[in-house]
Amino acid sequence: MADSREAAVLAVNTLAMGISTAIVALVLVNRDYIPLRSKNIPLVLILYVSTVLWFIGDVFTYYPALVGKLSRPVCILAMSWLRISLGVFAVVSCHVFRIYQYVCIFEWRVRAQGWRLYAPLGLLAMAPVAYGGLASGLPASKGGNAYVESPSMCVSHKPLYFAALGMLLVLLLCWLCAILAMRRIYVCFSEFREMLAMFACTVVIVVLQAVLRWVPGIGDQGVGYNAMVAITDMLVGNTSLAILLAPALWHCYRDRDAYLRFFLHKLKRENRQTEYELANGEALGRISTSVAPSKDLGVLECEIESPTEWTRGVANELCIRHESVSMQTDKRILV
């Protein structure tokens, strides 16, 4: 019979996933907004899908009474593939790959295409595939995942647990090295602080779970430990999505044009237009502005070079009232 505490934890995690789903949906609706598009939306979607798979794996692992009849193959799929390989390993790999893309764009001045794309993806896929294969082939009698009928639950034995923890520590070490390398890359906005916050959150949660697993009365697969792990698991992916997307999404609805103007001007001031164009994979357009010799209150005449109607519309909005432009200035603003 389902424990009411399990249902409460599931409700909390479902609410958290609902908030993340709403955030991602709003990002997709506003995907043409340049500050959001610069977040690499395809990689954001991969991060979101990995978090969802992690959530599904947690449901089968920690709320067995709520999902009905289980079996050992279901336990392997849920615990090893959804929760670990396609969940936590994939989430950490997304962050490592994001930093790799920063290096490609801001250091090497190239996009991650061809071998530059598939080689790092292959390396990052080694841990998820290796662990999933190990869990699938390791018998329960030799330390693999097991299914216990009474009470119905999935159990991970120590050999497989330590294998997962070891691979996770390797991925976290790769992430830390990438963050340290990122310190010398100036990417114009708050990307480094965002990455540092996501790394710190992940490390604190991993350490907390590893320590509490061996505390008597807590880490014995009881409801308290399961609830703690299930909630903190969801903090990793959902917090990452919030840190990456919430600030730009907030500005998108609160002061859309003002923040866009700030974003574009900072790109111009820091001379990062080319890199952000390269990151988005397309020429976002350029606006050449000049002031007509008239007494209109700061109205500019704009000559716009832009590949899309949307970009031209944004350009016109930015050109109408630009009080900071001097009467003899010829500016170029990246859109």
Side-chain angles (χ1 to χ4, degrees):
M1 183 177 179
D3 191 300
S4 59
R5 291 171 293 181
E6 292 181 347
V9 173
L10 179 59
V12 170
N13 283 347
T14 302
L15 177 62
M17 282 307 310
I19 294 173
S20 292
T21 301
I23 289 175
V24 173
L26 290 174
V27 168
L28 291 177
V29 169
N30 296 278
R31 59 185 176 275
D32 284 335
Y33 188 55
I34 295 173
L36 285 174
R37 187 163 52 181
S38 68
K39 296 296 184 179
N40 193 337
I41 293 179
L43 193 57
V44 166
L45 292 177
I46 295 175
L47 175 62
Y48 170 72
V49 170
S50 298
T51 304
V52 171
L53 294 177
W54 192 349
F55 170 69
I56 296 173
D58 273 2
V59 170
F60 282 86
T61 303
Y62 296 117
Y63 321 121
L66 300 177
V67 297
K69 184 68 174 177
L70 296 176
S71 63
R72 185 169 183 269
V74 172
C75 289
I76 293 174
L77 176 63
M79 297 182 69
S80 300
W81 283 101
L82 296 182
R83 183 173 181 266
I84 303 296
S85 291
L86 301 178
V88 58
F89 287 176
V91 167
V92 174
S93 297
C94 281
H95 295 316
V96 176
F97 188 76
R98 180 176 293 276
I99 298 177
Y100 168 74
Q101 287 194 314
Y102 290 151
V103 173
C104 287
I105 296 297
F106 294 97
E107 286 286 301
W108 302 341
R109 302 293 196 276
V110 295
R111 294 197 73 201
Q113 294 178 326
W115 68 269
R116 289 188 179 89
L117 173 64
Y118 297 114
L121 287 179
L123 290 174
L124 291 173
M126 290 176 62
V129 172
Y131 179 79
L134 176 64
S136 300
L138 190 64
S141 60
K142 295 184 178 181
N145 289 330
Y147 168 65
V148 179
E149 293 187 3
S150 182
S152 179
M153 68 171 62
C154 298
V155 178
S156 178
H157 294 303
K158 289 182 180 180
L160 205 55
Y161 168 79
F162 284 118
L165 183 60
M167 292 181 184
L168 178 58
L169 291 177
V170 171
L171 284 174
L172 289 175
L173 181 61
C174 293
W175 190 4
L176 176 61
C177 292
I179 290 176
L180 294 177
M182 187 182 174
R183 290 183 61 188
R184 58 187 175 85
I185 303 174
Y186 182 66
V187 290
C188 199
F189 294 97
S190 58
E191 288 87 347
F192 176 74
R193 293 192 298 272
E194 292 172 353
M195 193 61 66
L196 199 59
M198 291 184 288
F199 177 78
C201 176
T202 303
V203 169
V204 168
I205 289 172
V206 170
V207 171
L208 178 67
Q209 292 184 2
V211 170
L212 290 184
R213 181 180 175 89
W214 308 109
V215 175
I218 297 180
D220 56 358
Q221 298 298 317
V223 175
Y225 176 78
N226 289 351
M228 183 277 298
V229 173
I231 291 176
T232 53
D233 275 356
M234 290 300 95
L235 282 177
V236 176
N238 290 318
T239 301
S240 296
L241 289 168
I243 291 173
L244 280 172
L245 303 175
L249 193 61
W250 166 262
H251 288 295
C252 177
Y253 283 95
R254 181 178 180 272
D255 50 358
R256 184 183 185 96
D257 294 337
Y259 185 72
L260 177 60
R261 191 176 299 111
F262 161 79
F263 189 92
L264 299 175
H265 283 203
K266 188 168 184 180
L267 286 182
K268 173 66 177 178
R269 184 173 64 251
E270 304 295 341
N271 195 28
R272 287 300 192 185
Q273 303 100 314
T274 302
E275 286 81 357
Y276 276 80
E277 261 190 353
L278 187 61
N280 284 282
E282 62 182 39
L284 298 179
R286 293 183 182 276
I287 310 168
S288 178
T289 66
S290 61
V291 179
S294 67
K295 294 184 178 180
D296 290 346
L297 298 177
V299 177
L300 306 182
E301 292 181 355
C302 303
E303 179 184 353
I304 302 167
E305 303 172 16
S306 172
T308 66
E309 180 180 353
W310 172 83
T311 310
R312 288 193 295 272
V314 173
N316 287 324
E317 291 181 15
L318 294 178
C319 291
I320 292 175
R321 299 282 298 179
H322 197 298
E323 299 176 358
S324 64
V325 179
S326 67
M327 296 299 292
Q328 302 298 326
T329 301
D330 180 20
K331 282 198 169 185
R332 285 192 169 273
I333 303 173
L334 174 66
V335 173

